Amino acid sequence: MYAITGFCGITRNTNPMWFRIHNGTNTAEEFAKDIETAIMMKFLLPGDILVLDNAPDHVGKENKVLEDWLWERFAIMILWLPTRAPEFNPIELVWNTMLQRMQAIPLHVLKSANTDCVTYAAAMVLEK
């Protein structure tokens, strides 16, 4: 089993999608690492607004201080959505469809694509 953490952006300045595929499940620790990676890779930039729901991996453990940390260190604001309200963030419906389709692709196939993993995975998803 593997998990996918992804961010989708609405901008002309960066790639509109960033995600990481890893073994296991998504946890608060994994999510915090992914945010740090997205910042280091310049996917998340000062002035960005990160829209999050209240999923346990977004708010659990050290992520309780995530909002202050992102704002104070990187000028990235979090907009929290109400619990169980995917209609306020339509990308959640897209993520659900994409994740279901991607999980049909074996992990070794995705990993073999190396740096082109995003392109490869997107192409495989769009083929279905």
Side-chain angles (χ1 to χ4, degrees), residues 97-98 100-106 121-128:
T97 301
M98 187 180 83
Q100 288 173 2
R101 291 181 181 174
M102 283 184 72
Q103 287 177 339
I105 303 168
M124 293 290 286
V125 169
L126 292 173
E127 282 180 8
K128 293 187 176 208

